[in-house]
Amino acid sequence: MSEIIYRPYQDSDAQDVKQIINEAFYIHRYVTGSLVLDSALELYLRERLLASTWTRVAVKDGRVVGVIMGQVAGQPRLGGRVKNRLLIWAHMLRAGIMGLPQWRSLSQYFAFGPVYRNLRVKAREPLTDELTLFAVASTTRGLGVGKRLYADYLDHLRSLDRTDFYLYTDSLCSYGFYEKQGMQRASEQDMNLVLDSGQHHENLGVYLYTGTTH
C-alpha cells in the first residue's frame, strides 16, 4: 500500500482539492454548467484560503486525497492573499459575462453566506476559531485519512492553547463524522435549493457544529 504523506497545502494542490470539494459537498448538484461550476469551486477554495491560518493535506501516489484548513483568531492568515482575491474577482466577472442564467445558478452558492451569518447569531455562543474546510476523497475513505487530518487540527489548536472551535456543514455532507467526534449541533436552518439542473427542489439542512479539543 502506498504511503500517505501529510503536509501543508501548496498552490499546486488546487485542482485536486477542487475535485475533492465538489465530490464531498455536492456543489455540482446546485451549481450547473461546467464553466460556472469551475468558477464556484474556485470561489469556494479561494475564500477558504483567505479565511484560514493553517492547512494540512494528505497525499497518496502524488495526488491530494484529503484536506483540512482552519482559522485561529490572532494568528496570521495564509500567504497568497492578493492572488486569491484576484482569482475571486476574475471568476465572479466570468460568471457575469456568461449571462443571467449562469449567474442565477451561481447565486445559489452565494446564498449560503447569509445563512451562515444567521447560524452564528442563533448559536448564542462565542465563536472564534473555525474549521474552515475539511474533505476527504471517497477513494481513500476508510483508510483513516479523515481521522488523522482531524487529529492534526486538534493538535494545532492545543499547541496554541485553544480549546473551542466551530464549523459549518449541511445535510448533503457526512456530518455524522463530527457527531462521532463529540461535536454538538449548535444551530440549524433550512434552505430551499434547486438541484440537478432544475429537476427538483430540496430543503437542505445547514448546520453549525461546535467542538472542543478535550
Side-chain angles (χ1 to χ4, degrees), residues 117-183:
R117 289 191 289 273
N118 192 43
L119 289 177
R120 287 174 62 92
V121 173
K122 291 168 64 177
R124 297 181 180 179
E125 296 184 31
L127 304 171
T128 53
D129 303 332
E130 181 184 358
L131 198 166
T132 53
L133 174 61
F134 182 33
V136 176
S138 61
T139 55
T140 52
R141 288 174 191 161
L143 299 181
V145 172
K147 289 183 179 179
R148 167 64 187 272
L149 289 171
Y150 185 82
D152 284 352
Y153 175 68
L154 295 187
D155 287 343
H156 174 67
L157 291 178
R158 293 187 191 103
S159 73
L160 297 171
D161 295 322
R162 314 296 289 194
T163 57
D164 304 303
F165 64 98
Y166 72 97
L167 59 87
Y168 301 108
T169 188
D170 59 62
S171 54
L172 288 176
C173 303
S174 302
Y175 61 88
F177 173 87
Y178 303 120
E179 296 178 351
K180 290 179 181 178
Q181 308 310 312
M183 297 189 72

Side-chain angles (χ1 to χ4, degrees), residues 61-80:
D61 297 327
R63 300 292 300 271
V64 175
V65 295
V67 58
I68 193 166
M69 299 184 185
Q71 177 267 325
V72 176
Q75 294 296 303
R77 299 296 174 97
L78 300 174

Side-chain angles (χ1 to χ4, degrees), residues 24-41:
F25 303 148
Y26 298 91
I27 294 177
H28 58 279
R29 292 197 62 194
Y30 55 87
V31 178
T32 56
S34 60
L35 291 178
V36 72
L37 175 60
D38 180 67
S39 289
L41 293 172

Side-chain angles (χ1 to χ4, degrees), residues 4 11 19 68 101 126 140 206:
I4 299 176
D11 284 345
Q19 291 178 6
I68 193 166
T140 52
V206 186

